[in-house]
Short mmCIF file of all heavy atoms in Angstrom, two decimals:
data_model
loop_
_atom_site.label_atom_id
_atom_site.label_comp_id
_atom_site.label_asym_id
_atom_site.label_seq_id
_atom_site.Cartn_x
_atom_site.Cartn_y
_atom_site.Cartn_z
N PRO A 775 318.01 193.36 -88.25
CA PRO A 775 318.53 192.09 -87.71
C PRO A 775 319.89 191.75 -88.31
O PRO A 775 320.21 192.24 -89.39
CB PRO A 775 317.47 191.07 -88.12
CG PRO A 775 316.69 191.69 -89.21
CD PRO A 775 316.84 193.18 -89.06
N PRO A 776 320.64 190.91 -87.64
CA PRO A 776 321.92 190.49 -88.19
C PRO A 776 321.74 189.76 -89.52
O PRO A 776 320.75 189.05 -89.72
CB PRO A 776 322.48 189.54 -87.14
CG PRO A 776 321.71 189.83 -85.90
CD PRO A 776 320.38 190.33 -86.34
N ARG A 777 322.67 189.95 -90.42
CA ARG A 777 322.67 189.22 -91.69
C ARG A 777 323.48 187.95 -91.49
O ARG A 777 324.66 188.01 -91.18
CB ARG A 777 323.31 190.08 -92.78
CG ARG A 777 323.32 189.41 -94.13
CD ARG A 777 323.95 190.37 -95.17
NE ARG A 777 324.12 189.72 -96.44
CZ ARG A 777 325.19 189.02 -96.80
NH1 ARG A 777 326.20 188.91 -95.95
NH2 ARG A 777 325.27 188.45 -97.97
N ILE A 778 322.83 186.80 -91.65
CA ILE A 778 323.50 185.52 -91.47
C ILE A 778 323.13 184.61 -92.64
O ILE A 778 321.97 184.55 -93.05
CB ILE A 778 323.15 184.89 -90.11
CG1 ILE A 778 323.97 183.63 -89.88
CG2 ILE A 778 321.68 184.62 -89.97
CD1 ILE A 778 324.02 183.19 -88.43
N ILE A 779 324.14 183.94 -93.21
CA ILE A 779 323.94 183.08 -94.37
C ILE A 779 324.75 181.81 -94.20
O ILE A 779 325.95 181.88 -93.93
CB ILE A 779 324.40 183.79 -95.66
CG1 ILE A 779 323.61 185.08 -95.89
CG2 ILE A 779 324.27 182.87 -96.87
CD1 ILE A 779 324.15 185.94 -96.99
N ILE A 780 324.11 180.67 -94.38
CA ILE A 780 324.84 179.39 -94.42
C ILE A 780 325.32 179.21 -95.85
O ILE A 780 324.52 179.19 -96.79
CB ILE A 780 323.94 178.21 -94.00
CG1 ILE A 780 323.48 178.37 -92.55
CG2 ILE A 780 324.70 176.89 -94.19
CD1 ILE A 780 322.48 177.32 -92.11
N THR A 781 326.63 179.09 -96.04
CA THR A 781 327.19 178.91 -97.38
C THR A 781 327.53 177.46 -97.67
O THR A 781 327.73 177.09 -98.82
CB THR A 781 328.43 179.80 -97.58
OG1 THR A 781 329.40 179.49 -96.57
CG2 THR A 781 328.07 181.28 -97.49
N ALA A 782 327.63 176.64 -96.65
CA ALA A 782 327.88 175.20 -96.83
C ALA A 782 327.35 174.48 -95.59
O ALA A 782 327.42 175.03 -94.49
CB ALA A 782 329.37 174.90 -97.00
N PRO A 783 326.77 173.32 -95.72
CA PRO A 783 326.60 172.54 -96.94
C PRO A 783 325.49 173.13 -97.81
O PRO A 783 324.69 173.96 -97.35
CB PRO A 783 326.19 171.16 -96.42
CG PRO A 783 325.46 171.45 -95.15
CD PRO A 783 326.16 172.65 -94.56
N LEU A 784 325.46 172.71 -99.05
CA LEU A 784 324.42 173.16 -99.98
C LEU A 784 323.10 172.49 -99.63
O LEU A 784 323.08 171.43 -99.00
CB LEU A 784 324.82 172.80 -101.41
CG LEU A 784 326.14 173.42 -101.89
CD1 LEU A 784 326.49 172.89 -103.28
CD2 LEU A 784 326.07 174.93 -101.88
N ASN A 785 321.99 173.10 -100.04
CA ASN A 785 320.68 172.48 -99.85
C ASN A 785 320.67 171.07 -100.44
O ASN A 785 321.31 170.82 -101.46
CB ASN A 785 319.57 173.31 -100.51
CG ASN A 785 319.07 174.40 -99.61
OD1 ASN A 785 319.11 174.31 -98.39
ND2 ASN A 785 318.57 175.46 -100.21
N ASN A 786 319.93 170.19 -99.79
CA ASN A 786 319.78 168.79 -100.23
C ASN A 786 321.09 168.02 -100.22
O ASN A 786 321.26 167.06 -100.96
CB ASN A 786 319.11 168.71 -101.60
CG ASN A 786 317.75 169.32 -101.59
OD1 ASN A 786 316.95 169.05 -100.70
ND2 ASN A 786 317.47 170.17 -102.56
N ASN A 787 322.04 168.45 -99.40
CA ASN A 787 323.34 167.78 -99.36
C ASN A 787 323.82 167.61 -97.92
O ASN A 787 324.97 167.87 -97.62
CB ASN A 787 324.36 168.59 -100.17
CG ASN A 787 325.63 167.81 -100.42
OD1 ASN A 787 325.63 166.59 -100.45
ND2 ASN A 787 326.73 168.52 -100.57
N ILE A 788 322.91 167.21 -97.01
CA ILE A 788 323.27 167.03 -95.61
C ILE A 788 323.28 165.54 -95.31
O ILE A 788 322.24 164.88 -95.36
CB ILE A 788 322.30 167.78 -94.68
CG1 ILE A 788 322.37 169.28 -94.97
CG2 ILE A 788 322.64 167.50 -93.22
CD1 ILE A 788 321.40 170.11 -94.17
N PRO A 789 324.45 164.97 -95.01
CA PRO A 789 324.54 163.53 -94.73
C PRO A 789 324.03 163.18 -93.34
O PRO A 789 323.67 164.05 -92.56
CB PRO A 789 326.04 163.27 -94.85
CG PRO A 789 326.67 164.57 -94.44
CD PRO A 789 325.73 165.65 -94.92
N ASN A 790 324.02 161.90 -93.03
CA ASN A 790 323.54 161.39 -91.74
C ASN A 790 324.66 161.31 -90.72
O ASN A 790 324.76 160.34 -89.99
CB ASN A 790 322.92 160.00 -91.93
CG ASN A 790 321.69 160.06 -92.79
OD1 ASN A 790 320.98 161.04 -92.79
ND2 ASN A 790 321.45 159.00 -93.53
N SER A 791 325.53 162.29 -90.66
CA SER A 791 326.64 162.26 -89.71
C SER A 791 327.08 163.68 -89.40
O SER A 791 326.34 164.63 -89.64
CB SER A 791 327.81 161.47 -90.33
OG SER A 791 328.24 162.11 -91.52
N THR A 792 328.28 163.85 -88.90
CA THR A 792 328.81 165.17 -88.60
C THR A 792 329.13 165.90 -89.91
O THR A 792 329.72 165.33 -90.82
CB THR A 792 330.07 165.06 -87.73
OG1 THR A 792 329.71 164.38 -86.52
CG2 THR A 792 330.64 166.41 -87.40
N ILE A 793 328.73 167.16 -89.97
CA ILE A 793 328.95 167.96 -91.17
C ILE A 793 329.70 169.24 -90.82
O ILE A 793 329.71 169.67 -89.67
CB ILE A 793 327.61 168.33 -91.85
CG1 ILE A 793 326.73 169.13 -90.88
CG2 ILE A 793 326.91 167.12 -92.37
CD1 ILE A 793 325.53 169.75 -91.53
N SER A 794 330.31 169.84 -91.82
CA SER A 794 330.91 171.16 -91.67
C SER A 794 329.88 172.19 -92.08
O SER A 794 329.38 172.14 -93.20
CB SER A 794 332.16 171.29 -92.54
OG SER A 794 333.18 170.47 -92.06
N VAL A 795 329.55 173.08 -91.16
CA VAL A 795 328.62 174.17 -91.45
C VAL A 795 329.45 175.45 -91.50
O VAL A 795 330.19 175.75 -90.55
CB VAL A 795 327.52 174.29 -90.38
CG1 VAL A 795 326.57 175.43 -90.71
CG2 VAL A 795 326.76 172.99 -90.24
N ILE A 796 329.35 176.18 -92.60
CA ILE A 796 330.15 177.38 -92.83
C ILE A 796 329.22 178.50 -93.26
O ILE A 796 328.25 178.25 -93.99
CB ILE A 796 331.21 177.11 -93.93
CG1 ILE A 796 332.12 175.95 -93.51
CG2 ILE A 796 332.02 178.37 -94.24
CD1 ILE A 796 332.98 175.42 -94.63
N GLY A 797 329.50 179.72 -92.81
CA GLY A 797 328.65 180.82 -93.23
C GLY A 797 329.19 182.18 -92.92
O GLY A 797 330.30 182.33 -92.41
N GLU A 798 328.37 183.18 -93.25
CA GLU A 798 328.68 184.58 -93.01
C GLU A 798 327.77 185.10 -91.91
O GLU A 798 326.61 184.68 -91.81
CB GLU A 798 328.48 185.38 -94.29
CG GLU A 798 329.36 184.91 -95.42
CD GLU A 798 329.02 185.57 -96.75
OE1 GLU A 798 328.17 186.49 -96.78
OE2 GLU A 798 329.61 185.15 -97.76
N CYS A 799 328.29 186.01 -91.09
CA CYS A 799 327.53 186.49 -89.93
C CYS A 799 327.98 187.90 -89.57
O CYS A 799 328.90 188.45 -90.17
CB CYS A 799 327.74 185.54 -88.76
SG CYS A 799 329.47 185.17 -88.42
N GLU A 800 327.34 188.45 -88.55
CA GLU A 800 327.71 189.78 -88.04
C GLU A 800 328.74 189.61 -86.93
O GLU A 800 328.45 189.00 -85.89
CB GLU A 800 326.48 190.51 -87.53
CG GLU A 800 326.75 191.95 -87.19
CD GLU A 800 325.48 192.73 -86.89
OE1 GLU A 800 324.44 192.45 -87.50
OE2 GLU A 800 325.56 193.60 -86.01
N THR A 801 329.93 190.11 -87.15
CA THR A 801 331.04 189.96 -86.21
C THR A 801 330.66 190.43 -84.81
O THR A 801 330.01 191.46 -84.65
CB THR A 801 332.27 190.74 -86.70
OG1 THR A 801 332.65 190.22 -87.98
CG2 THR A 801 333.44 190.62 -85.74
N GLY A 802 331.07 189.63 -83.82
CA GLY A 802 330.90 190.03 -82.43
C GLY A 802 329.72 189.40 -81.72
O GLY A 802 329.59 189.54 -80.52
N PHE A 803 328.85 188.74 -82.47
CA PHE A 803 327.68 188.10 -81.85
C PHE A 803 327.75 186.60 -82.12
O PHE A 803 328.05 186.18 -83.23
CB PHE A 803 326.38 188.68 -82.40
CG PHE A 803 326.26 190.15 -82.18
CD1 PHE A 803 326.43 191.05 -83.22
CD2 PHE A 803 326.00 190.66 -80.91
CE1 PHE A 803 326.33 192.42 -83.01
CE2 PHE A 803 325.90 192.02 -80.70
CZ PHE A 803 326.07 192.90 -81.75
N PRO A 804 327.47 185.76 -81.12
CA PRO A 804 327.54 184.31 -81.32
C PRO A 804 326.48 183.82 -82.30
O PRO A 804 325.44 184.45 -82.48
CB PRO A 804 327.30 183.74 -79.93
CG PRO A 804 326.67 184.83 -79.15
CD PRO A 804 327.07 186.12 -79.77
N VAL A 805 326.77 182.69 -82.91
CA VAL A 805 325.87 182.04 -83.86
C VAL A 805 325.40 180.74 -83.23
O VAL A 805 326.22 179.93 -82.76
CB VAL A 805 326.58 181.73 -85.19
CG1 VAL A 805 325.69 180.95 -86.13
CG2 VAL A 805 327.05 183.03 -85.84
N GLU A 806 324.09 180.54 -83.18
CA GLU A 806 323.52 179.29 -82.67
C GLU A 806 323.14 178.42 -83.85
O GLU A 806 322.39 178.85 -84.73
CB GLU A 806 322.29 179.55 -81.82
CG GLU A 806 321.68 178.26 -81.29
CD GLU A 806 320.35 178.47 -80.58
OE1 GLU A 806 320.05 179.60 -80.18
OE2 GLU A 806 319.63 177.48 -80.44
N LEU A 807 323.68 177.21 -83.88
CA LEU A 807 323.33 176.23 -84.90
C LEU A 807 322.41 175.20 -84.27
O LEU A 807 322.64 174.76 -83.15
CB LEU A 807 324.58 175.54 -85.44
CG LEU A 807 325.62 176.45 -86.08
CD1 LEU A 807 326.87 175.66 -86.40
CD2 LEU A 807 325.05 177.10 -87.33
N SER A 808 321.37 174.79 -85.00
CA SER A 808 320.46 173.79 -84.45
C SER A 808 319.86 172.94 -85.56
O SER A 808 319.82 173.32 -86.72
CB SER A 808 319.34 174.46 -83.65
OG SER A 808 318.56 175.30 -84.49
N GLN A 809 319.40 171.78 -85.13
CA GLN A 809 318.64 170.87 -85.98
C GLN A 809 317.41 170.49 -85.16
O GLN A 809 317.49 169.62 -84.29
CB GLN A 809 319.44 169.63 -86.36
CG GLN A 809 318.65 168.66 -87.23
CD GLN A 809 319.32 167.32 -87.36
OE1 GLN A 809 320.48 167.13 -87.03
NE2 GLN A 809 318.57 166.35 -87.84
N GLY A 810 316.32 171.17 -85.39
CA GLY A 810 315.13 170.93 -84.58
C GLY A 810 315.41 171.23 -83.12
O GLY A 810 316.17 172.14 -82.80
N THR A 811 314.82 170.45 -82.24
CA THR A 811 315.06 170.63 -80.81
C THR A 811 316.05 169.61 -80.27
O THR A 811 316.35 169.59 -79.09
CB THR A 811 313.74 170.51 -80.02
OG1 THR A 811 313.17 169.22 -80.28
CG2 THR A 811 312.76 171.59 -80.43
N SER A 812 316.57 168.75 -81.16
CA SER A 812 317.43 167.64 -80.72
C SER A 812 318.89 168.00 -80.59
O SER A 812 319.59 167.43 -79.77
CB SER A 812 317.30 166.47 -81.70
OG SER A 812 315.97 166.06 -81.80
N ALA A 813 319.39 168.90 -81.41
CA ALA A 813 320.81 169.19 -81.40
C ALA A 813 321.03 170.68 -81.56
O ALA A 813 320.37 171.31 -82.37
CB ALA A 813 321.50 168.44 -82.54
N SER A 814 321.95 171.23 -80.78
CA SER A 814 322.30 172.64 -80.95
C SER A 814 323.70 172.90 -80.42
O SER A 814 324.21 172.15 -79.59
CB SER A 814 321.29 173.56 -80.26
OG SER A 814 321.37 173.42 -78.87
N MET A 815 324.30 173.95 -80.91
CA MET A 815 325.61 174.39 -80.43
C MET A 815 325.77 175.86 -80.76
O MET A 815 325.08 176.39 -81.64
CB MET A 815 326.73 173.55 -81.06
CG MET A 815 326.92 173.77 -82.54
SD MET A 815 328.13 172.68 -83.35
CE MET A 815 329.53 172.75 -82.31
N THR A 816 326.66 176.52 -80.04
CA THR A 816 326.94 177.94 -80.27
C THR A 816 328.39 178.09 -80.67
O THR A 816 329.28 177.49 -80.06
CB THR A 816 326.63 178.76 -79.00
OG1 THR A 816 325.26 178.56 -78.65
CG2 THR A 816 326.88 180.23 -79.24
N VAL A 817 328.63 178.91 -81.71
CA VAL A 817 329.98 179.17 -82.19
C VAL A 817 330.16 180.67 -82.31
O VAL A 817 329.19 181.43 -82.36
CB VAL A 817 330.26 178.47 -83.54
CG1 VAL A 817 330.18 176.96 -83.40
CG2 VAL A 817 329.31 178.95 -84.62
N SER A 818 331.40 181.12 -82.39
CA SER A 818 331.67 182.54 -82.50
C SER A 818 331.66 183.00 -83.96
O SER A 818 331.83 182.20 -84.87
CB SER A 818 333.02 182.88 -81.86
OG SER A 818 334.05 182.21 -82.54
N CYS A 819 331.43 184.27 -84.13
CA CYS A 819 331.50 184.90 -85.44
C CYS A 819 332.72 185.81 -85.43
O CYS A 819 332.75 186.81 -84.72
CB CYS A 819 330.24 185.71 -85.72
SG CYS A 819 330.31 186.60 -87.29
N ASP A 820 333.72 185.45 -86.20
CA ASP A 820 334.96 186.20 -86.25
C ASP A 820 335.20 186.68 -87.68
O ASP A 820 335.13 185.88 -88.63
CB ASP A 820 336.14 185.34 -85.80
CG ASP A 820 336.00 184.89 -84.36
OD1 ASP A 820 335.68 185.74 -83.51
OD2 ASP A 820 336.18 183.69 -84.09
N ALA A 821 335.46 187.98 -87.83
CA ALA A 821 335.72 188.58 -89.13
C ALA A 821 334.61 188.26 -90.14
O ALA A 821 334.87 188.03 -91.31
CB ALA A 821 337.09 188.13 -89.66
N GLY A 822 333.36 188.23 -89.64
CA GLY A 822 332.22 188.02 -90.52
C GLY A 822 331.99 186.60 -90.97
O GLY A 822 331.19 186.35 -91.88
N LYS A 823 332.67 185.64 -90.34
CA LYS A 823 332.56 184.22 -90.75
C LYS A 823 332.35 183.33 -89.53
O LYS A 823 332.79 183.65 -88.44
CB LYS A 823 333.84 183.75 -91.45
CG LYS A 823 334.28 184.60 -92.61
CD LYS A 823 333.51 184.31 -93.84
CE LYS A 823 334.07 185.11 -95.01
NZ LYS A 823 333.17 185.18 -96.12
N PHE A 824 331.67 182.20 -89.75
CA PHE A 824 331.57 181.16 -88.72
C PHE A 824 331.76 179.80 -89.38
O PHE A 824 331.53 179.64 -90.58
CB PHE A 824 330.23 181.22 -87.97
CG PHE A 824 329.04 180.77 -88.77
CD1 PHE A 824 328.64 179.44 -88.78
CD2 PHE A 824 328.30 181.67 -89.51
CE1 PHE A 824 327.54 179.02 -89.51
CE2 PHE A 824 327.19 181.27 -90.23
CZ PHE A 824 326.81 179.95 -90.24
N SER A 825 332.21 178.85 -88.60
CA SER A 825 332.31 177.46 -89.07
C SER A 825 332.26 176.54 -87.87
O SER A 825 332.64 176.92 -86.77
CB SER A 825 333.60 177.24 -89.87
OG SER A 825 334.72 177.38 -89.03
N ALA A 826 331.73 175.35 -88.11
CA ALA A 826 331.62 174.36 -87.03
C ALA A 826 331.47 172.97 -87.61
O ALA A 826 330.94 172.81 -88.72
CB ALA A 826 330.42 174.69 -86.15
N ARG A 827 331.90 171.99 -86.86
CA ARG A 827 331.62 170.58 -87.14
C ARG A 827 330.35 170.27 -86.35
O ARG A 827 330.36 170.28 -85.13
CB ARG A 827 332.77 169.68 -86.72
CG ARG A 827 334.06 169.95 -87.45
CD ARG A 827 334.12 169.38 -88.85
NE ARG A 827 334.01 167.93 -88.80
CZ ARG A 827 333.55 167.18 -89.80
NH1 ARG A 827 333.14 167.74 -90.90
NH2 ARG A 827 333.46 165.88 -89.68
N PHE A 828 329.25 170.03 -87.05
CA PHE A 828 327.94 169.88 -86.41
C PHE A 828 327.44 168.46 -86.56
O PHE A 828 327.30 167.96 -87.68
CB PHE A 828 326.95 170.86 -87.05
CG PHE A 828 325.61 170.90 -86.38
CD1 PHE A 828 325.42 171.62 -85.22
CD2 PHE A 828 324.54 170.18 -86.89
CE1 PHE A 828 324.19 171.65 -84.59
CE2 PHE A 828 323.31 170.21 -86.27
CZ PHE A 828 323.14 170.94 -85.12
N PRO A 829 327.16 167.78 -85.45
CA PRO A 829 326.66 166.40 -85.53
C PRO A 829 325.15 166.37 -85.80
O PRO A 829 324.36 166.90 -85.01
CB PRO A 829 326.97 165.83 -84.15
CG PRO A 829 326.96 167.02 -83.25
CD PRO A 829 327.41 168.19 -84.08
N THR A 830 324.76 165.83 -86.94
CA THR A 830 323.33 165.72 -87.24
C THR A 830 322.75 164.53 -86.47
O THR A 830 323.47 163.62 -86.07
CB THR A 830 323.08 165.52 -88.75
OG1 THR A 830 323.69 164.31 -89.18
CG2 THR A 830 323.62 166.70 -89.55
N VAL A 831 321.44 164.56 -86.27
CA VAL A 831 320.75 163.47 -85.57
C VAL A 831 319.66 162.91 -86.47
O VAL A 831 319.21 163.56 -87.41
CB VAL A 831 320.15 163.95 -84.22
CG1 VAL A 831 321.25 164.37 -83.26
CG2 VAL A 831 319.16 165.08 -84.42
N GLY A 832 319.23 161.71 -86.15
CA GLY A 832 318.17 161.06 -86.92
C GLY A 832 318.74 160.20 -88.02
O GLY A 832 319.91 160.27 -88.34
N GLY A 833 317.89 159.39 -88.56
CA GLY A 833 318.31 158.48 -89.62
C GLY A 833 318.22 159.12 -90.99
O GLY A 833 318.40 160.33 -91.14
N ASP A 834 317.91 158.29 -91.97
CA ASP A 834 317.78 158.77 -93.33
C ASP A 834 316.65 159.79 -93.44
O ASP A 834 315.71 159.78 -92.66
CB ASP A 834 317.49 157.61 -94.28
CG ASP A 834 318.67 156.66 -94.39
OD1 ASP A 834 319.80 157.10 -94.12
OD2 ASP A 834 318.45 155.49 -94.75
N GLY A 835 316.75 160.62 -94.44
CA GLY A 835 315.71 161.60 -94.69
C GLY A 835 316.21 163.02 -94.55
O GLY A 835 317.33 163.26 -94.10
N PRO A 836 315.36 163.97 -94.92
CA PRO A 836 315.77 165.37 -94.89
C PRO A 836 316.07 165.86 -93.47
O PRO A 836 315.47 165.41 -92.51
CB PRO A 836 314.56 166.12 -95.46
CG PRO A 836 313.60 165.10 -95.94
CD PRO A 836 314.02 163.78 -95.40
N LYS A 837 316.99 166.79 -93.40
CA LYS A 837 317.36 167.43 -92.14
C LYS A 837 317.47 168.92 -92.40
O LYS A 837 318.00 169.32 -93.43
CB LYS A 837 318.70 166.91 -91.63
CG LYS A 837 318.68 165.45 -91.26
CD LYS A 837 320.09 164.97 -91.03
CE LYS A 837 320.13 163.53 -90.67
NZ LYS A 837 319.46 162.64 -91.61
N THR A 838 317.00 169.72 -91.48
CA THR A 838 317.12 171.17 -91.62
C THR A 838 318.07 171.68 -90.55
O THR A 838 317.86 171.45 -89.37
CB THR A 838 315.75 171.86 -91.47
OG1 THR A 838 314.86 171.36 -92.47
CG2 THR A 838 315.89 173.37 -91.62
N ILE A 839 319.13 172.35 -90.99
CA ILE A 839 320.09 172.98 -90.10
C ILE A 839 319.78 174.48 -90.11
O ILE A 839 319.68 175.10 -91.16
CB ILE A 839 321.54 172.75 -90.57
CG1 ILE A 839 321.82 171.26 -90.75
CG2 ILE A 839 322.54 173.42 -89.62
CD1 ILE A 839 321.69 170.43 -89.51
N VAL A 840 319.64 175.06 -88.91
CA VAL A 840 319.31 176.48 -88.79
C VAL A 840 320.47 177.20 -88.10
O VAL A 840 321.00 176.72 -87.10
CB VAL A 840 318.01 176.69 -87.98
CG1 VAL A 840 317.72 178.17 -87.79
CG2 VAL A 840 316.84 175.98 -88.64
N ALA A 841 320.85 178.36 -88.66
CA ALA A 841 321.83 179.25 -88.03
C ALA A 841 321.07 180.51 -87.62
O ALA A 841 320.36 181.10 -88.43
CB ALA A 841 322.94 179.59 -88.99
N ARG A 842 321.21 180.89 -86.33
CA ARG A 842 320.54 182.09 -85.81
C ARG A 842 321.57 182.97 -85.11
O ARG A 842 322.50 182.47 -84.49
CB ARG A 842 319.47 181.71 -84.78
CG ARG A 842 318.29 181.02 -85.32
CD ARG A 842 317.36 180.54 -84.20
NE ARG A 842 317.17 181.46 -83.10
CZ ARG A 842 316.11 182.24 -82.92
NH1 ARG A 842 315.12 182.18 -83.77
NH2 ARG A 842 316.03 183.03 -81.88
N GLN A 843 321.34 184.27 -85.22
CA GLN A 843 322.22 185.21 -84.54
C GLN A 843 321.35 186.36 -84.01
O GLN A 843 320.46 186.85 -84.70
CB GLN A 843 323.27 185.74 -85.53
CG GLN A 843 324.37 186.51 -84.87
CD GLN A 843 325.45 186.92 -85.85
OE1 GLN A 843 325.17 187.30 -86.98
NE2 GLN A 843 326.70 186.85 -85.42
N THR A 844 321.62 186.75 -82.77
CA THR A 844 320.88 187.84 -82.13
C THR A 844 321.84 188.97 -81.81
O THR A 844 322.89 188.75 -81.20
CB THR A 844 320.22 187.34 -80.82
OG1 THR A 844 319.39 186.21 -81.12
CG2 THR A 844 319.38 188.42 -80.18
N ASP A 845 321.48 190.20 -82.24
CA ASP A 845 322.36 191.34 -81.97
C ASP A 845 322.06 191.95 -80.60
O ASP A 845 321.16 191.49 -79.88
CB ASP A 845 322.30 192.37 -83.10
CG ASP A 845 320.95 193.05 -83.24
OD1 ASP A 845 320.11 192.98 -82.31
OD2 ASP A 845 320.73 193.68 -84.29
N ALA A 846 322.80 192.99 -80.24
CA ALA A 846 322.68 193.60 -78.92
C ALA A 846 321.28 194.18 -78.66
O ALA A 846 320.85 194.29 -77.52
CB ALA A 846 323.74 194.68 -78.73
N ALA A 847 320.56 194.55 -79.70
CA ALA A 847 319.22 195.12 -79.57
C ALA A 847 318.13 194.04 -79.50
O ALA A 847 316.96 194.36 -79.38
CB ALA A 847 318.93 196.07 -80.72
N GLY A 848 318.55 192.77 -79.63
CA GLY A 848 317.58 191.68 -79.57
C GLY A 848 317.00 191.30 -80.93
O GLY A 848 316.12 190.43 -81.01
N ASN A 849 317.51 191.90 -82.01
CA ASN A 849 317.07 191.53 -83.34
C ASN A 849 317.67 190.18 -83.73
O ASN A 849 318.83 189.92 -83.47
CB ASN A 849 317.51 192.58 -84.36
CG ASN A 849 316.95 193.94 -84.04
OD1 ASN A 849 315.75 194.10 -83.86
ND2 ASN A 849 317.83 194.92 -83.92
N VAL A 850 316.86 189.34 -84.37
CA VAL A 850 317.30 187.99 -84.73
C VAL A 850 317.35 187.84 -86.24
O VAL A 850 316.42 188.19 -86.95
CB VAL A 850 316.34 186.92 -84.16
CG1 VAL A 850 316.76 185.53 -84.57
CG2 VAL A 850 316.28 187.03 -82.64
N GLY A 851 318.47 187.30 -86.73
CA GLY A 851 318.60 186.93 -88.11
C GLY A 851 318.79 185.42 -88.18
O GLY A 851 319.36 184.83 -87.26
N SER A 852 318.30 184.79 -89.24
CA SER A 852 318.47 183.34 -89.34
C SER A 852 318.51 182.91 -90.80
O SER A 852 318.07 183.63 -91.70
CB SER A 852 317.35 182.60 -88.61
OG SER A 852 316.11 182.81 -89.24
N ASP A 853 319.05 181.73 -91.02
CA ASP A 853 319.08 181.09 -92.32
C ASP A 853 319.03 179.59 -92.07
O ASP A 853 319.39 179.11 -90.99
CB ASP A 853 320.36 181.46 -93.07
CG ASP A 853 320.34 180.99 -94.53
OD1 ASP A 853 319.26 180.86 -95.12
OD2 ASP A 853 321.44 180.78 -95.09
N ASP A 854 318.54 178.84 -93.05
CA ASP A 854 318.51 177.39 -92.89
C ASP A 854 318.87 176.69 -94.19
O ASP A 854 318.78 177.27 -95.26
CB ASP A 854 317.13 176.90 -92.39
CG ASP A 854 316.01 177.24 -93.36
OD1 ASP A 854 315.98 176.70 -94.47
OD2 ASP A 854 315.16 178.06 -92.99
N GLN A 855 319.34 175.46 -94.05
CA GLN A 855 319.65 174.58 -95.17
C GLN A 855 318.94 173.27 -94.91
O GLN A 855 318.95 172.76 -93.81
CB GLN A 855 321.15 174.33 -95.29
CG GLN A 855 321.96 175.56 -95.64
CD GLN A 855 321.74 176.08 -97.03
OE1 GLN A 855 320.65 176.48 -97.38
NE2 GLN A 855 322.78 176.07 -97.81
N LEU A 856 318.35 172.72 -95.94
CA LEU A 856 317.66 171.44 -95.86
C LEU A 856 318.55 170.35 -96.39
O LEU A 856 319.16 170.48 -97.41
CB LEU A 856 316.37 171.50 -96.66
CG LEU A 856 315.55 170.23 -96.72
CD1 LEU A 856 315.02 169.84 -95.36
CD2 LEU A 856 314.42 170.37 -97.72
#
């Protein structure tokens, strides 16, 4: 599966607004960012990196941001930050 890692924000450091999500990915395959079933977006992976301004949803409390990437063979890699 693709190797994908969220490098920012750090765990336990997700505010109640738009955040910058930054990470490493497999070049050439899009990265899907999501927070549960409420919010999602797709960004490109260029030179092994991705970044996006991601709007979080919900009020106070923990939020989990998931980054997923699927390669040409259908293998899925993912990482999450709480």
Side-chain angles (χ1 to χ4, degrees):
R777 181 179 174 272
I778 186 162
I779 300 170
I780 297 174
T781 57
L784 301 175
N785 275 332
N786 299 314
N787 192 27
I788 298 177
N790 295 329
S791 61
T792 301
I793 59 169
S794 291
V795 180
I796 301 167
E798 300 172 6
C799 50
E800 189 171 326
T801 299
F803 301 105
V805 175
E806 179 187 341
L807 300 173
S808 63
Q809 179 192 346
T811 58
S812 302
S814 68
M815 68 186 312
T816 301
V817 297
S818 62
C819 177
D820 298 313
K823 307 280 185 197
F824 72 89
S825 66
R827 298 282 298 154
F828 186 80
T830 62
V831 296
D834 293 337
K837 295 169 180 54
T838 301
I839 305 299
V840 177
R842 291 173 41 102
Q843 191 175 40
T844 305
D845 66 15
N849 301 307
V850 178
S852 66
D853 189 28
D854 60 67
Q855 295 291 63
L856 178 65

